[in-house]
Amino acid sequence: MVVVGAGMVGAACALYAARAGLDVVLVDRGPVAGGTTGAGEGNLLVSDKGPGPELRLALLSLRLWAELAETLGAAVEYEPKGGLVVASTPESLAALTDLAAGQRAAGVETVVVEAGRLHDHEPHVAPGLAGGVLYPQDAQVMPALAAAHLVRSSGARLETGRTVTGVLRGADGAVRGVRTDRGDLLAPAVVNAAGTWGGEIAALAGAALPVLPRRGFVLVTEPLPPRVRHKVYAADYVADVASDSATLQTSPVVEGTAAGPVLIGASRERVGFDRSFSLPVVRQLAAGATRLFPFLADVRVMRTYLGFRPYLPDHLPAIGPDPRVPGLFHACGHEGAGIGLATGTGHLLAQALTGENPELDLTPFRPERFAETTEEAAP
C-alpha cells in the first residue's frame, strides 16, 4: 500500500499497517512532519472534546499513545502531564462542569477544582478565577520527533521529496497506485493522509473531500524552569475549536515543554494558505497568555510560527475506505487534533485495510458523507 503524507497521521497509518503485515511505502513531497505536524504543539487531548465519535477516537488514541510510550516515551518527549481548563466567571464554570459531567459519563477522568484549589495544581496561575476542571488523561509529545520515530518503527519504505501528481486507476476504476514526479508507485491500496492537502489528493482520485486550511499561530518563549505544570487553557477554547466561523478567534492556551520553552496559543482563522505574519494575532495571544499566567509578561518570546489545521465542515476527520473509488482510503481532516488522534486513526485504518471489523464504528467518519449532504440539499 502507499500512504500519501508523512505527517503524524501518515506515520501512524504506516506503523499500524506494517504491524498488520502490509508492505508500506510512505511518500511525501516534503520531509517527515514538514506540514501541519511540524507546526503543532503535540497535544494528546480529551479535555476539548464533547461526548461523541471524536471523543471515542481520542480515548482509543490515548490508550495507544500510552502503549507506544512504553518504548518511545523519552525519545518523543511523551509527558502524561494532564490538562487544566479554567473558567473566569461562574457562568463559564457552570458550562464547563456540565461538559465535564458528559465527558465523565463517556469515560473521561475529570476532577472539578474549586477556585481556592487552583494554585495547588498551578502555583503561578492568575488569581481571581472562578474554578476549573482537571483532566489527568491529557498528555503531550514533541510532534516532529514522534512522527519520525513512528516512521522508523514502522519499517516502511520512505520516499520524501517526491510529489504525488495522480492516482492510478484500472479499467474497473479501482486504485492501482500513485503517479509521482519521479515515477509510479504501484499498490492495490492508497491512503490519503495528506492533512490540509487531503482534498487535493482526493481530487486526483476523482473523489471530492472539502478539506480547508484553518490557520493558527504559536508563540515560543525562552527556555524556563518548570513553571507551567499542565496544559492550561480558558474554557472558551472548547467553543472556538467547535466553531464554524471563518473569522479570527483567539483563546489563551499555555503549556510548558520538556525542553523548557513555554508554548502559547491558540488562534483560528480561515484565510486560505496565507502564510503572512499577523502582529495583531500575536498580540492577542500574548495578552491572553499573560491573563492566565501574569509572570509571562516578563518572559521573552523567542519565535513565532504558524501552521494550517485541516478543517472539515463537521469537525470530524475522514477515516476509512472511499466507496466511490475502490482501494482509496482516507485518514485526514483532523483539524487541530491530528497529533492526538493519529494512533487511533492508524489502528482503525489498518483494521479496515486487512478486512477486520474496526474497533470503533467508522460510520461518523465516512469520507463520502459530504457528497451525501450535497445530494440531499439539491432540489
Side-chain angles (χ1 to χ4, degrees):
M1 58 175 274
V2 174
V3 178
V4 182
M8 188 70 83
V9 173
C13 289
L15 174 66
Y16 288 99
R19 287 184 173 182
L22 301 178
D23 292 325
V24 182
V25 179
L26 183 61
V27 60
D28 198 296
R29 64 185 178 188
V32 173
T36 300
T37 293
E41 295 171 277
N43 294 320
L44 318 178
L45 305 181
V46 290
S47 57
D48 62 345
K49 299 168 182 65
E54 188 182 29
L55 180 56
R56 291 191 289 273
L57 178 58
L59 287 167
L60 169 63
S61 298
L62 280 180
R63 189 191 83 208
L64 295 170
W65 271 116
E67 292 174 3
L68 289 174
E70 293 179 5
T71 55
L72 299 176
V76 303
E77 298 182 8
Y78 175 80
E79 291 185 274
K81 60 187 178 183
L84 180 64
V85 185
V86 297
S88 57
T89 66
E91 293 76 18
S92 61
L93 179 61
L96 176 60
T97 53
D98 284 347
L99 172 65
Q103 292 169 319
R104 188 162 52 252
V108 176
E109 297 175 36
T110 68
V111 180
V112 176
V113 182
E114 296 178 358
R117 304 304 300 270
L118 286 174
H119 287 86
D120 295 345
H121 301 281
E122 287 291 344
H124 300 285
V125 77
L129 295 168
V133 175
L134 182 69
Y135 291 86
Q137 291 161 294
D138 281 0
Q140 186 180 25
V141 293
M142 197 291 183
L145 280 175
H149 280 283
L150 262 59
V151 171
R152 182 177 300 163
S153 299
S154 75
R157 173 182 155 197
L158 179 62
E159 296 281 349
T160 53
R162 189 166 181 173
T163 302
V164 172
T165 59
V167 175
L168 304 174
R169 300 176 67 180
D172 60 354
V175 162
R176 294 192 301 110
V178 297
R179 175 150 291 154
T180 80
D181 57 352
R182 288 170 24 212
D184 295 346
L185 296 171
L186 301 181
V190 170
V191 175
N192 172 19
T196 311
W197 296 273
E200 297 178 18
I201 298 300
L204 291 177
L209 195 63
V211 182
L212 296 171
R214 205 175 184 192
R215 187 175 73 178
F217 286 84
V218 175
L219 311 185
V220 184
T221 76
E222 60 186 312
L224 301 171
R227 300 188 75 179
V228 182
R229 298 176 177 177
H230 306 82
K231 177 187 176 73
V232 183
Y233 60 87
D236 55 358
Y237 171 80
V238 178
D240 285 354
V241 170
S243 170
D244 294 322
S245 175
T247 59
L248 174 65
Q249 297 167 307
T250 62
S251 50
V253 179
V254 180
E255 60 192 312
T257 64
V262 171
L263 305 180
I264 297 169
S267 66
R268 281 173 163 77
E269 55 186 330
R270 294 212 308 273
V271 291
F273 285 101
D274 181 359
R275 299 194 64 87
S276 58
F277 176 78
S278 174
L279 183 58
V281 174
V282 170
R283 282 177 170 163
Q284 287 189 42
L285 293 178
T290 55
R291 285 195 300 271
L292 273 186
F293 288 95
F295 79 88
L296 288 171
D298 299 318
V299 172
R300 291 178 297 173
V301 171
M302 302 302 290
R303 66 187 180 97
T304 302
Y305 63 88
L306 64 88
F308 299 98
R309 304 173 183 88
Y311 165 92
L312 280 168
D314 61 1
H315 300 282
L316 291 177
I319 304 172
D322 193 323
R324 299 167 295 182
V325 184
L328 177 65
F329 293 75
H330 296 281
C332 62
H334 296 74
E335 201 166 333
I339 307 298
L341 301 180
T343 49
T345 297
H347 173 69
L348 295 170
L349 203 66
Q351 291 177 320
L353 282 159
T354 55
E356 293 184 46
N357 288 323
E359 187 171 337
L360 296 182
D361 180 12
L362 293 181
T363 301
F365 308 110
R366 64 191 187 282
E368 74 278 15
R369 65 190 188 271
F370 302 103
E372 294 170 357
T373 301
T374 302
E375 291 168 3
E376 290 170 1

